Amino acid sequence: MPTTHKTKVLIVGSGAAGYTAALYATRANLAPILIKGMQPGGQLTITTEVENFPGFPEPIQGPWLMEQMRQQVENVGATLIDDLIVKVDLGRRPFTLIGDSGNRYVGETLIIATGASARWLGLESEKKFMGFGVSACATCDGFFFRNREVAVVGGGNTAATEALYLTNHASKVYVIHRRDELRAEKTLQERLRKNPKVEMVWNSVIDEVLGAANPPGVTGLRLRDVKTGAIRQLRLEGVFIAIGHTPNTELFAGQLALDGEGYIKTTPGGVATSVPGVFAAGDVQDHIYRQAITAAGTGCMSALDAERFLAENEILAENEA
Ligand code: NAP
């Protein structure tokens, strides 16, 4: 029998943004409900070591960090629910969301923290070595490739910035692109061209990520030249897939203003969306920084703004009564 859950603050998504929003909203006595979604813990659960989240002098594991956040949020008394939202109605307040379970969630305010998913090539071997040399986040994992050879796949701004970042650690960075020109900004292209550690591999795609089983790790790539069909192997230890991210916003299309790439539009420097009472935090509204700490920051902002919104609207309701 489907049930209806009502709350002042409904939060969708359980990455750093969603958990931080829940932490702040709970401590503001708003009794939020957080719906965990498809990948509880979010993108950090697919990284290994995390060294750039402040407060931890030693490297920590991404999944462990998210587990700590979950426990912290539960300890302060937030309600976390395992469900996947499949339908939303933002046409009027309170907002109604329907879960895969059939349950209804009704929120006076809504915080969307559904994140973005890194796009992957879709190779079996890529999946096999994910976290063992295959990554989609140079700032998370680049440090572990100090003085090693690595590759970045892609030709956009993300690939270029990831490659440039990796030159701070790696001894060599191949940029593997399926065409013979980059779509990255000209200034980034120029910086790549000038960097002696960067070698471009044009017109090439990865056929297979090569690796060892014990200990598990990437040992190279089998590449195919898309023009000639020629196969070659590169020996290296890390490969960073940077072929774009897809914001998880399909549910909200047509109900909230999205930008040209599908990210939720928020007020400059803020987290308010085009619908009053709906806030967006983390990667679902941020295609520039995409860090755990910035996601946590906007999660905090969205809870504080939801609290303010509720207070202002209660005052309005009282005046109208
Ligand atoms: P993007 O601009 O969409 O570029 C994706 C790249 O991956 C393209 O070069 C594309 O090749 C390649 N690609 C896509 N699918 C592929 C596949 N299956 N196999 C091999 N290659 C594939 O994505 P992005 O670089 O992540 O950038 C996303 C947005 O964030 C952009 O608006 C970007 O400007 C912004 N951004 C900005 C900065 C900055 O300002 N510094 C940094 C990062 C991101 P083709 O070129 O052949 O299509």
Side-chain angles (χ1 to χ4, degrees), residues 105-250:
Y105 303 94
V106 179
E108 287 178 41
T109 61
L110 173 67
I111 295 174
I112 301 171
T114 49
S117 306
R119 281 194 219 130
W120 299 99
L121 297 170
L123 300 169
E124 262 314 302
S125 52
E126 170 193 54
K127 211 190 273 175
K128 186 170 163 190
F129 292 107
M130 208 172 276
F132 298 100
V134 174
S135 169
C137 178
T139 47
C140 316
D141 299 328
F143 185 76
F144 308 109
F145 296 91
R146 183 172 291 218
N147 297 324
R148 313 272 169 88
E149 298 201 359
V150 298
V152 175
V153 187
N157 278 344
T158 300
T161 47
E162 300 260 287
L164 290 166
Y165 175 81
L166 286 165
T167 61
N168 296 321
H169 302 295
S171 55
K172 177 157 193 139
V173 181
Y174 295 98
V175 177
I176 299 165
H177 185 35
R178 63 184 176 183
R179 293 186 295 131
D180 60 2
E181 66 178 320
L182 299 174
R183 68 170 66 229
E185 288 163 11
K186 291 283 177 282
T187 46
L188 291 172
Q189 294 193 28
E190 195 54 21
R191 285 173 59 200
L192 284 177
R193 201 179 58 75
K194 284 190 177 149
N195 194 308
K197 284 190 181 174
V198 173
E199 181 178 329
M200 301 302 305
V201 182
W202 299 113
N203 299 315
S204 295
V205 293
I206 300 179
D207 263 358
E208 191 179 352
V209 179
L210 306 170
N214 200 5
V218 169
T219 55
L221 297 175
R222 192 171 71 232
L223 300 179
R224 181 166 42 89
D225 186 307
V226 290
K227 290 213 161 145
T228 64
I231 302 286
R232 65 182 278 211
Q233 285 195 7
L234 277 183
R235 287 182 68 83
L236 44 74
E237 289 173 58
V239 55
F240 291 82
I241 313 297
I243 59 171
H245 282 77
T246 310
N248 300 321
T249 52
E250 318 82 66

Side-chain angles (χ1 to χ4, degrees), residues 90-103:
L90 307 184
R92 68 184 137 144
R93 215 163 58 83
F95 309 111
T96 303
L97 283 69
I98 312 285
D100 194 33
S101 60
N103 291 340

